[in-house]
Amino acid sequence: MLLTQGQVRVENVPAPTLEPGTVLVAVRCSCISAGTELSSIRHSNVPLWRRVLQQPEKVKRLLEIVRTQGVAHARELVAGKLAEEQPIGYSAAGVVEAVGAGITAFRPGDRVACAGAQCAFHAEMIRVPENLAVAVPDALDLAAASTVALGAIALQGVRRAQPTLGEGFAVIGLGLLGQLTVQLLKANGCRVIGADLDPSRLALARQLGLDVALVADDAANADEVRRLTGGLGADGVIITAATSADTVMASAFKMCRKKARVVLVGDVGLGLRRADFYEKEIDFLISTSYGPGRYDHGYEEAGLDYPVAYVRWTENRNMAEVLRLAASGRLQLPPLISATFPIDEAPAAYARLTAGSPRPLAVVLTYPTGSEPAPAARCVSHPRAAPTGSGRVRLALVGAGGFAKGTHLPNLRRLGSRYDLVAVMSRTGHNAAAVARRFGARYSTTEFERVLADPEIDAVLIGTRHDRHAAMALTALQAGKHVFLEKPLALTPAGLAPLQEFFNRAASPQAPPLLLTGFNRRFS
């Protein structure tokens, strides 16, 4: 499922390929996050001029591009940004299809739950790094398990608050994260007061263990919390609301006793007033997503775990603990799932989140299954592409990154009388498909081998990550394809040696394919 300019739509894109340290997962259910995803949709529909006003530093960058590379290039970059399609979703559950090299925790057929905005999309097939997947207990169904990312976010917020048995906590905002937070605090033996504007959410929280429900009123709630706690105030407040108002923070501080703690999980206005927290010496803590490891490339992508003796609860261990609590019945997830839609009706699912009352807490998307599932399609045709012209170089783009989209592809489009873009290959299917549609390629794929085996392709333009350049160039040359390779040709002399050997051994008079390297900054 892709998002562009405020609209979500279901598209057919190439399935991801397996990589070392990852698992391929056939998704059965994915959970729509009402807060984060609706915020992303609203942001993608903001006019460009308004985004510019919100991020003035990007204006300076654009003016620098105009100065150094010209107005036409800057216009092309802006047009590409506006047309960009992004996958959406970050919490899913399914069945392992295949495991990459180095994976020992999973095997094909295992049920897993996955998290991560970079991988756990609303899609039939996803590729997930090992540390962003956890096994699903037998007692838990996959629909409930698909909420794993939201559960881990709530659990990390509770861990930051460090509740102890018998303490009194307030939770501001009883959306999905707030409902989960209430249950987790109750599991820690706390007395919990919840505040929200929606009476239906207050009623649900009461059913799930909330001790006292308050209709959110920033002016009155602080007095009520003090009354309910014998005049002391709350030992802690966890904010799971989403609003731009600064009054939520002020209200949270006023609810607290001296030396209490306030944990921010949601997204609220942060216009803080010193008088609200200084005299009470309140600790104000930020909770970052699923827990330690989040936004750490080494942990999430490279699979480097933190030693349990020093970091007891990583994001992966938080995910596993949420599922264990749910399987044991101490965390009730089914009452929080308001509606279920098949993936083909995803636009209706998002519409359900924004229309009507009461608003759903969580909506789950389901995916087709069968006794004999069809193999994942890693090549998707784009029939609207123009037919290949005679006498033109038939080209495939391998690696559709920023430089390829901002420089090479616009240049190729201007040189349309000489080149035909036949295929776009990228490690992520949504990117390959979006670029192929935008620039009129015949098909998109996630398989390099598919491009090399295509007799209709004369040459490849390789713009992948630097460490893959030499090996991919050699493989393409061996397949008989001409190669234009973005700099650098290789990272080490050892990487260059096989290419030198290839040309040294090339039989004459049969000329070998051409290899060109694009030193694009040679005149700087």
Side-chain angles (χ1 to χ4, degrees):
M1 191 157 60
L2 299 176
L3 167 65
T4 181
Q5 296 184 355
Q7 299 295 319
V8 293
R9 68 178 191 277
V10 179
E11 288 282 354
N12 189 23
V13 304
T17 55
L18 192 62
E19 295 180 353
T22 67
V23 294
L24 283 182
V25 178
V27 177
R28 296 291 180 262
C29 300
S30 61
C31 179
I32 297 177
S33 163
T36 302
E37 293 188 42
L38 290 184
S39 176
S40 298
I41 291 171
R42 286 191 293 268
H43 179 73
S44 73
N45 200 33
V46 173
L48 183 61
W49 65 267
R50 188 170 294 171
R51 292 190 221 176
V52 168
L53 292 177
Q54 294 170 347
Q55 299 175 304
E57 71 279 359
K58 292 191 176 180
V59 178
K60 296 180 181 178
R61 183 179 174 190
L62 184 61
L63 291 175
E64 180 64 17
I65 291 173
V66 170
R67 186 184 71 81
T68 58
Q69 300 179 55
V71 174
H73 183 70
R75 186 187 299 116
E76 190 72 46
L77 288 176
V78 171
K81 195 68 178 175
L82 289 174
E84 213 168 63
E85 299 174 334
Q86 294 293 337
I88 194 167
Y90 63 94
S91 190
V95 177
V96 174
E97 286 279 308
V99 299
I103 297 292
T104 58
F106 304 108
R107 59 185 179 184
D110 286 350
R111 301 191 319 146
V112 293
C114 312
Q118 71 271 51
C119 60
F121 311 129
H122 300 305
E124 290 182 289
M125 186 73 67
I126 56 177
R127 176 183 58 230
V128 184
E130 183 176 23
N131 281 345
L132 291 176
V134 293
V136 176
D138 293 338
L140 194 64
D141 67 76
L142 291 179
S146 72
T147 66
V148 64
L150 288 306
I153 292 170
L155 180 55
Q156 177 61 16
V158 171
R159 293 200 191 285
R160 291 286 282 161
Q162 296 184 326
T164 60
L165 187 68
E167 284 192 309
F169 268 79
V171 178
I172 301 178
L174 295 176
L176 181 55
L177 288 179
Q179 300 283 346
L180 291 165
T181 300
V182 167
Q183 294 188 62
L184 291 168
L185 286 169
K186 293 299 294 182
N188 276 273
C190 297
R191 292 171 289 116
V192 186
I193 301 167
D196 197 280
L197 291 169
D198 188 335
S200 66
R201 293 185 173 183
L202 292 169
L204 177 60
R206 288 295 301 270
Q207 295 173 24
L208 298 176
L210 183 70
D211 294 292
V212 179
L214 301 177
V215 177
D217 183 336
D218 294 329
N221 285 163
D223 291 338
E224 188 65 11
V225 169
R226 280 194 296 271
R227 186 185 69 80
L228 292 167
T229 56
L232 293 177
D235 295 296
V237 178
I238 300 180
I239 301 170
T240 51
T243 174
S244 59
D246 299 329
T247 53
V248 174
M249 288 300 310
S251 178
F253 291 136
K254 290 173 182 177
M255 290 179 182
C256 290
R257 63 167 171 82
K258 285 190 174 183
K259 299 188 74 67
R261 54 268 195 207
V262 172
V263 177
L264 180 60
V265 178
D267 184 6
V268 300
L270 288 176
L272 305 182
R273 294 186 304 178
R274 185 172 183 266
D276 290 334
F277 53 87
Y278 172 73
E279 290 184 5
K280 293 182 181 178
E281 201 174 18
I282 293 171
D283 291 332
F284 176 39
L285 305 168
I286 301 293
S287 179
T288 302
S289 199
Y290 327 139
R294 188 72 180 115
Y295 309 114
D296 179 350
H297 183 273
Y299 178 89
E300 292 192 335
E301 305 297 333
L304 302 175
D305 198 3
Y306 299 157
V308 70
Y310 297 95
V311 184
R312 176 63 183 91
W313 294 108
T314 60
E315 62 179 325
N316 183 274
R317 293 192 269 271
N318 275 340
M319 290 163 60
E321 182 59 18
V322 161
L323 298 186
R324 188 191 70 80
L325 287 168
S328 70
R330 300 184 72 187
L331 184 63
Q332 300 181 59
L333 297 176
L336 306 180
I337 298 174
S338 306
T340 300
F341 289 81
I343 182 62
D344 292 340
E345 298 177 18
Y350 280 91
R352 176 77 175 83
L353 286 170
T354 57
S357 182
R359 286 178 55 191
L361 290 173
V363 171
V364 168
L365 299 176
T366 59
Y367 298 78
T369 59
S371 56
E372 292 294 333
R378 294 191 170 88
C379 181
V380 172
S381 297
H382 300 284
R384 287 180 293 177
T388 302
S390 60
R392 300 175 187 170
V393 176
R394 299 169 299 181
L395 188 71
L397 173 68
V398 177
F403 191 76
K405 289 185 284 190
T407 300
H408 287 311
L409 289 170
N411 286 340
L412 288 169
R413 184 159 55 189
R414 285 188 284 269
L415 296 170
S417 61
R418 301 183 184 182
Y419 296 93
D420 275 321
L421 183 64
V422 176
V424 174
M425 178 262 162
S426 176
R427 64 187 293 270
T428 54
H430 60 270
N431 187 44
V435 173
R437 282 193 296 269
R438 181 182 170 199
F439 290 95
R442 192 185 307 166
Y443 65 87
S444 57
T445 182
T446 51
E447 290 184 315
F448 187 41
E449 296 78 10
R450 173 71 176 78
V451 168
L452 300 185
D454 188 347
E456 298 296 312
I457 291 175
D458 304 313
V460 295
L461 191 164
I462 299 177
T464 58
R465 294 175 180 175
H466 292 174
D467 60 331
R468 304 182 67 190
H469 281 191
M472 294 186 83
L474 179 62
T475 305
L477 292 167
Q478 291 171 337
K481 308 297 184 187
H482 301 294
V483 176
F484 181 95
L485 181 68
E486 257 309 322
K487 65 172 179 63
L489 181 60
L491 294 182
T492 64
L496 182 62
L499 286 165
Q500 293 177 306
E501 185 179 353
F502 172 83
F503 284 103
N504 288 337
R505 292 191 310 178
S508 185
Q510 180 68 38
L514 298 176
L515 170 63
L516 301 176
T517 303
F519 290 102
N520 59 72
R521 294 184 61 80
R522 63 189 181 278
F523 298 121
S524 294

